[in-house]
Amino acid sequence: MGASVRSRRERLGWTQEELGESSGLHPSYIGQIERGIKKASLKTLAVLSKALGATLGEMLDEPRTNPNRGWEEKIDGLLRDKSSHE
């Protein structure tokens, strides 16, 4: 699951700090989850999934390779919190 969180976060163009702000979780904890050092509860995984704009099912099915896909998601992630003027 950690690899899935990292993959989706990177495709959105987010840092661990940005995901932390969006999810309310500490960036170092997110890093530990991504590296498989810490195991996240189902509640924490649901929070991360929501912050990343995905369902838990999508996160579990997330491809763990091919960093060249998902440009639309990266752009969406960069623009998500911006106003139409920005």
Side-chain angles (χ1 to χ4, degrees), residues 12 31 58:
L12 291 172
E58 289 170 332

Side-chain angles (χ1 to χ4, degrees), residues 9 22 24 29-31 37-38 42 56 76 78:
R9 175 184 61 75
S22 181
Y29 181 55
I30 293 170
I37 295 170
K38 295 277 185 176
L42 188 56
L56 275 173
D76 182 55
L78 292 170

Side-chain angles (χ1 to χ4, degrees), residues 3 10-11 13 18 26 35 44 49 56-57 68 70 73 77 81 83 86:
E10 289 177 344
R11 279 192 281 133
E18 290 169 320
H26 197 278
R35 292 188 306 277
T44 298
S49 296
L56 275 173
N68 295 319
E73 289 181 29
D81 298 325
S83 69
E86 291 175 305

Side-chain angles (χ1 to χ4, degrees), residues 22-86:
S22 181
S23 66
L25 299 171
H26 197 278
S28 64
Y29 181 55
I30 293 170
Q32 291 171 341
I33 292 169
E34 288 182 353
R35 292 188 306 277
I37 295 170
K38 295 277 185 176
K39 293 186 180 191
S41 68
L42 188 56
K43 182 178 178 181
T44 298
L45 295 176
V47 167
L48 287 170
S49 296
K50 183 176 180 182
L52 292 166
T55 65
L56 275 173
E58 289 170 332
M59 295 298 289
L60 293 172
D61 290 337
E62 188 74 23
R64 289 173 173 81
T65 57
N66 195 355
N68 295 319
R69 29 180 322 247
W71 284 105
E72 297 87 3
E73 289 181 29
K74 283 185 180 183
I75 293 168
D76 182 55
L78 292 170
L79 299 176
R80 178 180 289 168
D81 298 325
K82 306 292 185 211
S83 69
S84 60
H85 173 70
E86 291 175 305

